[in-house]
Amino acid sequence: MDSDDENLEEVVEGPLDEDDQPHGFCTVTYSSSDRFEGHFTHGEKNGKGKFFFFDGSTLEGFYVDDALQGQGVYKYEEGGVLHGTYVDGELNGPAQEFNGDGRLVFKGQYKDNNRCGECQVYYPDGGCVFGVVNDDGELTGESVAYIYPDGLTVLYGSFVDGELIEARRATLISNQSGRARFEITSNSPVYSYDKSTPTCIATHTLLPDPYESKMVFVADSMIKGAGQGLFAKTDAETDTVMAFYNGVRITHSEVDSRDWAMNGNTISLDEDTVIDVPRPFDHTERYCASLGHKANHSFTPNCKYDPFVHPRFGPIKCIRTLRAVQKDEELYVAYGYDHEATGKNGPEAPDWYKLELKDFLQRQAAPGGQ
């Protein structure tokens, strides 16, 4: 990520001075296969220039006396970008990093190419971890915070390399200088990392999530015969995280081999893992640590499932709004069963879903789509 170069062998394309040193705009290819394009003054980089490294990454900025000075842009081979401040060819000062999709993933300080001081690491889902990094550049210590996507709800306490160890609920409050400070909620319970297994949904099954508790509640669904549903506790804009879908972690083959009656609260996490909320944990009296499984299906949903890295549960799914929703509005998601017929019985889906699909398609085919 720095601009230092100790290659002895090089091939120069461009003007040379009387000592056969690059002078003017030149392209220099080194024995390592790294390449530099930019301005030289008697063999030293001076002016705007850009390194093209052998691994596909690049580094661009302004050089003074052969060293990168001021703002530089490092592009990773996979597409991510780091905007940083360079002093004598090394990162020293404020920096921001973005992933290949242009999302902010890091904001903080560097010293001698290492992260230092207060830093924030952002997840694609909108959450972030904030604190003072240790000598290894890791968010490790007893005063680290996970900040939920609302930018206000916080778990504040002990973390190791950004992973929750033990924390309490808090609120983010900016002081007059704009620096973040955290106000711990009185009588807050203790939260710890509690990733589920195939046999354990959670250690503390009745400990609600502090963010989710502000966003949703469970009540009788508006859908006849559907039992309970999930409702918005507050108005929310489009693309707002509303709830979390945690559960035991089982395999796709296990789900496929059992009766549909046992798969009422399953959702695919990735190609290897399915999240399941089995009985009796589908009842809030037995499990309310997350409530995403309470959202009912609709072919015209107002929410969707999205990946989420939760400080307590690890990688799970969340429920995120597709449009603005109002307080007390029921939240619906599309369960996403395959509509293609796989045999004489039609789509691979439970019977209630097949009936709803048939009814929905008939309404869509009717005049006016009603």
Side-chain angles (χ1 to χ4, degrees), residues 342-356:
T342 57
K344 64 181 181 180
N345 294 325
E348 186 71 18
D351 290 339
W352 67 262
Y353 185 90
K354 296 177 187 178
L355 292 173
E356 282 199 21

Side-chain angles (χ1 to χ4, degrees), residues 197-208:
T197 69
T199 57
C200 179
I201 192 169
T203 303
H204 302 288
T205 57
L206 300 180
L207 178 60

